[in-house]
Amino acid sequence: MSFALTSLVDETPTFRAHGTVRSPIESACAQHPDVATFRELGPSEDGTMLYGAVVGTGPITVSLIAGNHADEPVGPETLRSFLINGLARRDDMESMLRRFQFVVVPHTNPDGEARNRAWMEAWPDLEAYLMEAVRENPGRDMEYGFPDMRPENTHVSAFLREHGPFDLHASLHGMSAGEGAMLLINRLWTFRTQSLRDDFASAAAAKGLPLHDHNRKGEKGFFWIEPGFQTTPRGDAMRTYFRARGDAAMAERFHDSSMEFVASLGGDPLSLVTELPLFLIRGEEGGERGGHQPTQYLKLRERLPDIKARLDRDEDVDELLAPFDARPVPLKTAMHLQFRTLELGLRAVAPDYTS
């Protein structure tokens, strides 16, 4: 591809709000009605209108969504830039728009975004993130809410169903902290994506990110592929996991993932889930991962309740955080890697495509 999607990242991107970015997206679509259509999808639980866009006229269909976990705001910024900056560069995008049709929901969960605005506006303040980040629990988690757990799921599902089946589906996610970048790939495509994985690892390394390697041995449906890569999450695996533990009530809180829903529309879609950390933490000295386990990441997870409790008491937490050397991953870097992942996905489903 001679035209790089990574060039759509603004020089100094920021975390914008769902409401403020609607007008530029709607305007961009209106200026190119032959290749772009803006759509209102329906109201969220709090009455905020969800919106999406269909861009391109090609035969290869691609669904792009972000924001299912509202404390992971990089994905929405990536898709907002894809629509606004991509249509602004219509001439550069022309061959891509003729080859593909993109069905895009920049933010599936605007209510959750609103609840996370405090730390997003203070970014990259780690303590602000730890104190203010809001993550929805099972039964409210939109990624495991398809097709109709919440009104937002219903609206997004109807929009995708209208344009399916799909060749490629990407749900853009992130991690609060990690020892590097990670990519999830649906199981049916694992043996067809070696070059994609190699190129993702190279792209991450070029941006100073190692791979976050976590072999969960199939727990909750996450199967290890190779360092830095796992299979995409599945609601049915989550339900099986909690039923096996005797927690039927928790099992029932998990509906299908967006990946399962898109697969149900037919075809043989490649599904990708990006997992890029907001804060990069230092891995084990010497790179020893001990059975593909991110030991520093797991230690930080164990320590987080104490860290948050101290912050609530307005106590210093520097000593607790020091061993992890947590550093913010620049938004521009994270968006670049998400765009690069989308490029690799497009190449995987259309290997003969050249822009």
Side-chain angles (χ1 to χ4, degrees):
M1 297 181 185
S2 59
F3 170 72
L5 287 176
T6 53
S7 66
L8 300 182
V9 181
D10 290 328
E11 185 60 34
T12 55
T14 59
F15 291 129
R16 294 171 286 186
H18 178 81
T20 61
V21 81
R22 169 180 170 151
S23 180
I25 291 175
E26 190 170 9
S27 176
C29 292
Q31 291 174 34
H32 301 278
D34 57 321
V35 295
T37 304
F38 179 88
R39 285 277 299 276
E40 287 190 342
L41 306 185
S44 69
E45 287 181 328
D46 291 347
T48 302
M49 183 58 66
L50 273 72
Y51 53 80
V54 180
V55 178
T57 59
I60 300 178
T61 52
V62 180
S63 58
L64 304 175
I65 67 173
N68 281 343
H69 294 158
D71 62 338
E72 301 170 359
V74 176
E77 279 309 311
T78 300
L79 296 187
R80 290 161 178 167
S81 295
F82 175 78
L83 293 173
I84 296 169
N85 297 346
L87 288 171
R89 296 182 59 179
R90 163 73 182 273
D91 291 344
D92 295 328
M93 291 276 287
E94 193 66 40
S95 64
M96 186 177 292
L97 298 178
R98 289 197 307 268
R99 186 71 163 122
F100 301 96
Q101 181 177 74
F102 300 93
V103 181
V104 186
V105 184
H107 209 307
T108 61
N109 189 4
D111 297 347
E113 180 190 64
R115 297 184 183 104
N116 280 277
R117 285 304 302 176
W119 72 263
M120 290 163 62
E121 292 173 358
W123 172 261
D125 188 314
L126 175 57
E127 291 189 9
Y129 173 81
L130 292 173
M131 293 176 65
E132 303 291 348
V134 177
R135 188 178 184 87
E136 289 149 329
N137 293 322
R140 301 286 305 157
D141 181 341
M142 277 194 59
E143 185 57 80
Y144 295 103
F146 287 84
D148 56 9
M149 182 184 72
R150 290 171 46 172
E152 296 90 337
N153 290 111
T154 301
H155 302 320
V156 174
S157 295
F159 186 47
L160 296 181
R161 187 182 291 113
E162 179 182 344
H163 297 281
F166 292 95
D167 298 285
L168 170 64
H169 170 67
S171 182
L172 303 185
H173 280 259
M175 296 183 284
S176 57
E179 296 184 17
M182 184 166 61
L183 183 64
L184 313 185
I185 302 170
N186 61 316
R187 199 166 182 175
L188 293 178
W189 271 79
T190 54
F191 71 96
R192 290 178 274 179
T193 52
Q194 186 63 62
S195 63
L196 183 155
R197 299 195 301 271
D198 292 343
D199 289 342
F200 177 87
S202 296
K207 292 296 182 181
L209 291 177
L211 295 178
H212 181 89
D213 189 21
H214 192 181
N215 185 356
R216 299 172 68 171
K217 302 180 180 180
E219 179 193 54
K220 300 179 181 178
F222 292 96
F223 287 90
W224 188 80
I225 303 171
E226 63 184 19
F229 302 90
Q230 299 180 27
T231 57
T232 51
R234 295 184 59 90
D236 57 3
M238 288 287 188
R239 293 189 290 272
T240 298
Y241 173 82
F242 285 106
R243 285 172 186 146
R245 294 171 62 90
D247 194 344
M250 178 63 78
E252 293 308 310
R253 296 177 187 175
F254 287 89
H255 297 238
D256 286 347
S257 68
S258 67
M259 289 66 71
E260 291 167 282
F261 174 72
V262 168
S264 76
L265 300 178
D268 178 30
L270 165 63
S271 288
L272 302 174
V273 176
T274 51
E275 293 287 3
L276 307 178
L278 288 166
F279 296 92
L280 180 66
I281 60 176
R282 184 177 58 218
E284 288 286 284
E285 292 295 332
E288 176 59 46
R289 295 300 179 98
H292 305 292
Q293 295 298 305
T295 53
Q296 285 291 88
Y297 164 79
L298 295 173
K299 289 176 183 177
L300 177 60
R301 284 183 57 181
E302 291 178 359
R303 193 168 293 186
L304 278 178
D306 188 21
I307 293 172
K308 292 179 180 179
R310 292 195 186 190
L311 287 172
D312 287 341
R313 297 192 298 267
D314 199 28
E315 296 176 2
D316 185 81
V317 295
D318 288 349
E319 183 179 352
L320 291 178
L321 289 172
F324 305 102
D325 189 26
R327 293 163 287 157
V329 175
L331 176 55
K332 186 175 182 179
T333 295
M335 290 177 65
H336 187 284
L337 285 174
Q338 288 196 336
F339 271 127
R340 181 61 180 145
T341 303
L342 294 181
E343 288 180 335
L344 297 175
L346 295 177
R347 189 174 69 188
V349 298
D352 62 333
Y353 171 72
T354 57
S355 61

